[in-house]
Amino acid sequence: MSQDSQTTPPADEVTEHRSYPRSAAFRAFIADNWAPRPATLPDRLPAADFAARRRRALGALFPGERLVFPAGPLVRRSNDTDFRFRPHSAFAHLTGLGTDQEPDAVLVLEPRAGTATGDGDGHGGGAGQDTHDAVIFFRPRAGRDTEEFYSDARYGELWVGVRPSLEEIEALTGITARHLDEVLDAIAKDAGEGGLAVRVIREGDQQITERLDEARVGAAADDTAREATREAMTRSDGELARAASELRLVKDSFEIEQMREAVAVSARAFEDIVRALPEAVASRRGERVIEGVFARRAREEGNGTGYDTIAASGAHACTLHWIRNDGVVREGDLVLIDAGVEVDTLYTADVTRTLPITGRFSEAQRRVYEVVLEAADAAFAVARPGSRFRDLNAAAQAVIARRLAEWGLLPVSAEESLADEGQYHRRWIVHGVSHHLGIDVHDCAQARREMYLDGVLEPGMIFTIEPGLYFTADDLLAPEELRGIGIRIEDDVLVTEDGCENLTAMLPRTVEEVETWMAMVLL
Ligand code: GLY
Ligand code: MN
Ligand code: MN
């Protein structure tokens, strides 16, 4: 439902106001007398073997080509302060690295000699045979005898902690590791016209993309030729981004387990919220209390929240991306909470519950809630292998249109409203009811339409089902008693061999379940 976007603010010159001792005596003094680094290497990541299989599957689509996946740089929040680092999703998926690992790193899949033409089926490499060798370039920890060690606030060990060594990253991932200093040459080698085909995830790291563009455009004869090369590059890079996105449409068993964990922690955080409702009601900004309670559990048991929490009390619930969360929480109102915990491997839940603040729904609130629930159940009923992704939305919208028509809110019949040229019912639900979910809250966003919206559901897919109805306070077409009521119910769903599993089923959904649960927790 939300549209997350990550942009890198321009890295303006930052005036340095810190002062570091630079005398030779100090430098010799601070470099000395530290305990040796650990003698043992870390265990291989649980995700490492899964990531190797993902790299093999992706590499097989691009035999003979160099594929470049940047983790991305630190992103400036303001002045000399960065956002917490989060690697690009394709990098995380293909390396198994998660939280905080590793700013500026680049995964390169280097084509193996002799695999360029594939094995005759149009794809390089047979089952299990690697077409590429993987290399991770990153900035390993600097020695204690370097200036970086004590004076670099972005990377220095005394500022941000110890980074891994090349050997440690190799032990964690099973991927050959090389120093970041070598990356620009390594990715550009033989990348000019007539050389090796190279593709990069363009949005990953501007510096990497620019270096590759320069190398690939290289000696193009004139401006027209350069422009044509640039267009071809952007197109072929887009195909890599698309393939990396489509690779995540069906989750492997490791990813499913991570999603179960993300959902389990999220469910505990929702229960924390119910417990904190009296505190929220007493607060000047009760929505912030709710946001904070969720964030605490998310940060304690996971990496944090997978997206900005929506804590929307009363009519705020009708603002779809209400993340300001600065409102009061009043008895008699509902509060819509859309929140998900992201675990350390970066998989996130995405859950919405709309709760009556007193623990009991009013008659009008219940009426709207029951329709949203019926719409969700209709989508659940078609969530099975063989259905199309767009059937989920169609099933839910059909219920919404039918009920709104019965309430006399539509200027046409439900059937006419559901036709493409109608869609009147969408006034009260402008968003779609499903999206894929995983490392990104809106996962697989670059997948082709025929694989996503028009795609056929397969076991292992995970997506949301999240219908809603929103009657804003100033909506003159809405019955007066419904104005200011916004309701969404959002569950996370795994497609199984013969149907689906509601991963968020531990959180009450029906009116009765919600009221019983709240009564128990609030006791
Ligand atoms: N919380 C974002 C969404 O529901 O899509
Ligand atoms: Mn969602
Ligand atoms: Mn959501």
Side-chain angles (χ1 to χ4, degrees), residues 42-124:
D43 290 340
R44 197 172 164 86
L45 292 169
D49 291 337
F50 293 92
R53 280 197 279 279
R54 299 170 199 155
R55 291 194 299 276
R56 190 177 302 141
L58 194 60
L61 300 175
F62 302 96
E65 300 188 16
R66 178 180 298 143
L67 309 174
V68 180
F69 304 90
L74 287 162
V75 178
R76 221 174 274 279
R77 183 174 187 277
S78 73
N79 187 24
D80 61 352
T81 307
D82 297 319
F83 284 105
R84 228 179 257 286
F85 180 70
R86 185 184 200 280
H88 189 276
S89 299
F91 176 90
H93 189 235
L94 294 169
T95 60
L97 293 169
T99 311
D100 303 328
Q101 288 179 312
E102 266 306 309
D104 307 317
V106 183
L107 170 71
V108 177
L109 297 187
E110 191 67 19
R112 278 192 182 165
T115 56
T117 53
D119 58 2
D121 64 357
H123 298 298

Side-chain angles (χ1 to χ4, degrees), residues 1-2 307 310 338-339 350-352 435 441 464 466 488 490:
M1 197 263 302
S2 66
Y307 54 92
I310 296 168
D338 183 341
D350 179 8
V351 189
T352 307
H435 56 81
V441 63
T464 64
E466 52 174 310
R488 177 163 66 256
E490 178 173 26

Side-chain angles (χ1 to χ4, degrees), residues 14 55 100 129 204 423 487:
V14 174
R55 291 194 299 276
D100 303 328
Q129 183 194 329
Q423 300 291 309
I487 292 175

